Amino acid sequence: MIHYCPTNTSMDVVWFNHGVSQCFMDTVAMGTIGGFMLIFGTLQLIMYLRHATEIDTQRIRKSRLYNFQLFLLLLMPLLTAARFVLEGFIFDGAQVYGFMILSIVVALFAYPFSVVLLVKERYYQLPSVPTRGHGLVLLIFWTLVFIVQNIAFVNLNYHDAWFRLETLRDKVEFGMFVARYAITMLLFVIGLKAPGITSTQFTEDYQNLVQSQENQSTFSNAWTKMRTLLPFLWPKKDTFLQFRVVFCFLLLIAGRFINVYVQIYNKKIVDSLTEKPTVFRWDWILLYVGFKFLQGGGTGSMGLLNNLRSFLWIRIQQYTTREIELELFRHLHSLSLRWHLNRKTGEVLRVMDRGTDSINNLLNYILFSITPTIVDILIAVVFFITAFNWWFGFIVFLTMTLYIGK
């Protein structure tokens, strides 16, 4: 009968003879690695099998470092198998335990499986922005196996550890540990460099896009871009929607001033508590509660004005989405037949949906996040100048300018 742990230890005993028992350490480490690769590695493989497209082999560079990476990944399970044979059948007192079987099974599964993922990442590409490095699954896997080797240093004072180098078994174990440590460290470092995935795998369109973006400033042609997007916000054919747009902006402006009055009446209520004789200013409290109800919570995002504005803006956003999609369809219909034959309809539709959502999110972010923030800053500067002096206003203006510029 095969015992899972040696007779003097068990999974319940973690710390044993001034160190962590090998049974517990190998079980937790290899169980974590095996479970991670089984779940997340399988999910990544399914993604590649279903959605990946093959990369033109002419764009893939030959790399000796990539071949060396494959060699290291295939060498690790061989070292684990050699350790299993030595500890289970050759060394004095050799015996096979359950945790040793778990380690060899996980190693024979995880490392070859990582080779499969590595090959997939080199020769296939998912329908997303091309990456310059390996996927997250492989990077985490190589990090975990390197961490596992470093955990062995916890057992420097372990009585039965092979760090003492007293017997031939200790020396062989130490040599195999050095080999495993060097291999996992090289896998981790080479994985960060990703020699099998080069920039030549980028599509020409993406390379041209990256180069053009690198040569331009973030704010270059900002007014031209805004002038292109703003017409989609103004419904020319619907007068009722135009009134909605105007009313939404009035609510936005009213919210800016309410933010100021909330703080003013908060100050007045607190100051009234210090006056002699103390007078209960119920009128100020009612005004403060009313302003707070209009403003909403601490962030000002759940008040009546913001909810009303969001409700009224739904029809406008639907109009914007419809107009953008119609403009995109007009543009697609004006393209040549050759262009459509070289594209996949599903990918084009997906890009259209994402582009429409991105434009809507951008417009909402500009109108209801960036613009209100700038207006709040200007109102705060004016208030500090009128309530105190221009030094306070200048400090607020300079501070916020440096913060935004950062």
Side-chain angles (χ1 to χ4, degrees), residues 173-210:
E173 287 273 13
F174 180 75
M176 297 185 69
F177 167 74
V178 172
R180 292 196 306 272
Y181 191 89
I183 291 174
T184 54
M185 183 177 64
L186 287 173
L187 286 174
F188 178 75
V189 175
I190 296 174
L192 296 177
K193 183 175 176 57
I197 301 177
T198 60
S199 59
T200 56
Q201 294 180 6
F202 283 21
T203 60
E204 295 179 359
D205 294 339
Y206 184 75
Q207 285 181 336
N208 295 333
L209 177 62
V210 171

Side-chain angles (χ1 to χ4, degrees), residues 241-272:
L241 286 182
Q242 293 176 0
F243 280 113
R244 281 199 175 206
V245 173
V246 174
F247 190 65
C248 285
F249 279 104
L250 291 177
L251 291 176
L252 189 65
I253 296 172
R256 302 308 100 203
F257 289 99
I258 286 176
N259 289 340
V260 178
Y261 278 101
V262 166
Q263 306 304 325
I264 291 176
Y265 277 92
N266 188 15
K267 170 187 175 299
K268 288 184 176 182
I269 293 172
V270 174
D271 290 343
S272 67

Side-chain angles (χ1 to χ4, degrees), residues 379-394 396:
I379 292 176
V381 171
V382 174
F383 176 79
F384 274 97
I385 291 176
T386 55
F388 301 100
N389 55 55
W390 68 273
W391 269 110
F392 283 91
F394 175 74
V396 173

Side-chain angles (χ1 to χ4, degrees), residues 308-325:
L308 181 60
R309 187 205 67 213
S310 300
F311 174 75
L312 295 175
W313 194 259
I314 293 175
R315 293 285 300 276
I316 303 168
Q317 187 171 1
Q318 292 173 348
Y319 166 83
T320 303
T321 303
R322 183 172 62 253
E323 291 297 317
I324 293 173
E325 289 182 347

Side-chain angles (χ1 to χ4, degrees), residues 23 72 77 122 140 193 201 222 266 277 286 297 333 345 372 377 396:
C23 178
L72 294 178
R122 178 170 173 81
I140 294 178
K193 183 175 176 57
Q201 294 180 6
N266 188 15
L286 287 179
H333 290 165
T345 305
I377 294 173
V396 173

Side-chain angles (χ1 to χ4, degrees), residues 1-7 94-98 101:
M1 180 179 178
I2 298 177
H3 296 282
Y4 187 79
C5 293
T7 55
Q95 186 175 351
V96 177
Y97 295 103
I101 298 176

